[in-house]
Amino acid sequence: MWWRDNTAVFGCSHGRPALTLIDNIRVSTELLQALDTFDAREDDVLLVSYPKSGTHWLAEIMKNLYSRHSDNHSAGLVTLTSSLEFGDLSKFDELRNLSSKRLIPTHLSYDMIPVQFKTKNCKMIYVIRNPKDTAVSMYHYYQQNPHLPNVEKWSSFLEIFLKGEVVYGSWIDHVLSWEKNKSNENMLFLYYESMKKDLPKHVKEISSFLNISVSEDQIREISKKCSFHEMKEQAEREKVNTNHTVCALTSDRKLIFRKGVVGDWRNYFTSKQNVQFDAVFKEKINSSALASYVEYE
């Protein structure tokens, strides 16, 4: 984490600060500096990913799991909050005043997570998406989101992505920060591509991890409701609540869902860019058990 002129800067590359998150997207320096004062609860569930890797998808699955689990009793009552790093210091009061179980999304690296999430052994779920599709999705997000720097050309964006000079820094550094704790029984790692192939399998895996009792029929129902197509259509129908979003970068849900496909990177990467990307990522990815299982097809 770097600080400059009251502006929060996520990630760095070779000692240089990454692009910044500034006040007009409501991420305050004061809140980030105060993260370790955050009061976590033992039953908090943290939903984590690098940006454009499936946090909203995971959040929708979680909401539906707890909804099916509730059956009108308090064990299933949960609140999906806005992103942990979204807002100002009043955010902590807002979360403190919630009486229900809290599902808290974030794009923060492990080292920036409030310490109480770790000491209280809170459940954490981390979604990994292949970095090539992530880069393409983030490129479009930069183009459409007025709160982020304007990068018109794909080639220009790829350069800063490879340097880790995008919001939240380097993809591989983010993954590595969480991988250090992969043996923690309170952490579940999911792969975006695998979820696309067999969502019911992973809905069942999540429910087991969280000790949520749901039937096979309910798992199939949740999987259908949480398909990318269904979520995109729902986002386009809903009115945007600018005071609540699971994303720290925008309050417009319509910017969140684009294609959601696996392998779209092949429509953007030239052969030269692909070789360049592999050269930059190869050494670190080969040293990472989590990253080595990423699927590109």
Side-chain angles (χ1 to χ4, degrees), residues 59-128:
E60 198 67 24
I61 292 169
M62 299 283 286
K63 285 195 302 180
N64 278 273
L65 271 172
Y66 279 104
S67 173
R68 300 305 186 279
H69 178 58
S70 65
D71 292 329
N72 296 319
H73 61 73
S74 60
L77 296 179
V78 299
T79 298
L80 175 64
T81 75
S82 58
S83 179
L84 179 63
E85 61 271 27
F86 183 94
D88 55 29
L89 282 176
S90 65
K91 172 64 171 289
F92 290 178
D93 292 328
E94 171 195 337
L95 294 181
R96 189 180 301 113
N97 291 331
L98 290 174
S99 59
S100 58
K101 182 183 183 72
R102 305 180 302 188
L103 308 180
I104 307 175
T106 183
H107 293 312
L108 294 175
S109 66
Y110 183 83
D111 295 336
M112 291 180 64
I113 294 299
V115 66
Q116 284 197 20
F117 283 114
K118 307 165 189 177
T119 59
K120 293 187 176 181
N121 296 317
C122 299
K123 297 281 189 179
M124 307 182 196
I125 304 177
Y126 186 90
V127 182
I128 306 170

Side-chain angles (χ1 to χ4, degrees), residues 284-297:
K284 285 188 175 181
I285 284 182
N286 287 346
S287 68
S288 166
L290 291 180
S292 66
Y293 285 108
V294 168
E295 297 179 33
Y296 289 90
E297 298 298 333

Side-chain angles (χ1 to χ4, degrees), residues 204-223:
K204 188 172 185 177
E205 182 180 14
I206 295 167
S207 66
S208 176
F209 175 69
L210 297 173
N211 297 314
I212 298 174
S213 178
V214 287
S215 68
E216 292 295 330
D217 284 345
Q218 288 173 322
I219 287 173
R220 285 190 289 271
E221 181 186 352
I222 291 168
S223 300

Side-chain angles (χ1 to χ4, degrees), residues 37-286:
T37 68
F38 180 77
D39 293 323
R41 302 173 186 168
E42 285 81 358
D43 67 347
D44 282 338
V45 181
L46 208 57
L47 314 181
V48 192
S49 74
Y50 187 81
K52 308 309 298 175
S53 298
T55 303
H56 289 84
W57 190 15
L58 177 61
E60 198 67 24
I61 292 169
M62 299 283 286
K63 285 195 302 180
N64 278 273
L65 271 172
Y66 279 104
S67 173
R68 300 305 186 279
H69 178 58
S70 65
D71 292 329
N72 296 319
H73 61 73
S74 60
L77 296 179
V78 299
T79 298
L80 175 64
T81 75
S82 58
S83 179
L84 179 63
E85 61 271 27
F86 183 94
D88 55 29
L89 282 176
S90 65
K91 172 64 171 289
F92 290 178
D93 292 328
E94 171 195 337
L95 294 181
R96 189 180 301 113
N97 291 331
L98 290 174
S99 59
S100 58
K101 182 183 183 72
R102 305 180 302 188
L103 308 180
I104 307 175
T106 183
H107 293 312
L108 294 175
S109 66
Y110 183 83
D111 295 336
M112 291 180 64
I113 294 299
V115 66
Q116 284 197 20
F117 283 114
K118 307 165 189 177
T119 59
K120 293 187 176 181
N121 296 317
C122 299
K123 297 281 189 179
M124 307 182 196
I125 304 177
Y126 186 90
V127 182
I128 306 170
R129 186 183 188 186
N130 91 60
K132 294 180 182 179
D133 276 338
T134 300
V136 170
S137 186
M138 189 179 282
Y139 163 62
H140 286 281
Y141 198 71
Y142 264 65
Q143 285 192 314
Q144 297 168 358
N145 192 332
H147 301 312
L148 292 173
N150 182 23
V151 185
E152 293 185 1
K153 295 172 59 179
W154 158 245
S155 58
S156 299
F157 180 82
L158 182 59
E159 288 295 327
I160 63 172
F161 185 87
L162 288 173
K163 293 176 183 176
E165 294 178 352
V166 289
V167 289
Y168 293 91
S170 160
W171 178 92
I172 187 62
D173 287 347
H174 199 280
V175 171
L176 288 172
S177 76
W178 284 90
E179 181 170 28
K180 295 174 186 175
N181 306 277
K182 67 178 183 293
S183 61
N184 187 333
E185 64 181 10
N186 292 307
M187 294 182 64
L188 174 66
F189 292 92
L190 301 171
Y191 289 90
Y192 184 97
E193 293 75 25
S194 181
M195 291 172 69
K196 292 285 289 186
K197 287 182 178 179
D198 191 349
L199 185 55
K201 171 186 173 182
H202 294 290
V203 171
K204 188 172 185 177
E205 182 180 14
I206 295 167
S207 66
S208 176
F209 175 69
L210 297 173
N211 297 314
I212 298 174
S213 178
V214 287
S215 68
E216 292 295 330
D217 284 345
Q218 288 173 322
I219 287 173
R220 285 190 289 271
E221 181 186 352
I222 291 168
S223 300
K224 181 179 179 181
K225 189 171 183 180
C226 294
S227 69
F228 185 87
H229 176 73
E230 289 285 335
M231 290 192 300
K232 184 179 176 73
E233 284 198 343
Q234 181 181 347
E236 290 174 350
R237 289 194 302 266
E238 289 179 351
K239 291 183 179 179
V240 174
N241 179 352
T242 58
N243 294 315
H244 187 88
T245 172
V246 302
C247 182
L249 303 179
T250 184
S251 59
D252 189 348
R253 294 191 70 206
K254 293 180 182 180
L255 293 181
I256 294 164
F257 304 104
R258 189 179 67 89
K259 284 187 176 181
V261 300
V262 175
D264 192 38
W265 64 270
R266 296 183 182 279
N267 296 318
Y268 293 83
F269 279 71
T270 65
S271 296
K272 182 178 179 180
Q273 288 171 341
N274 194 40
V275 170
Q276 179 189 15
F277 193 101
D278 289 344
V280 170
F281 274 69
K282 183 178 180 181
E283 183 177 352
K284 285 188 175 181
I285 284 182
N286 287 346

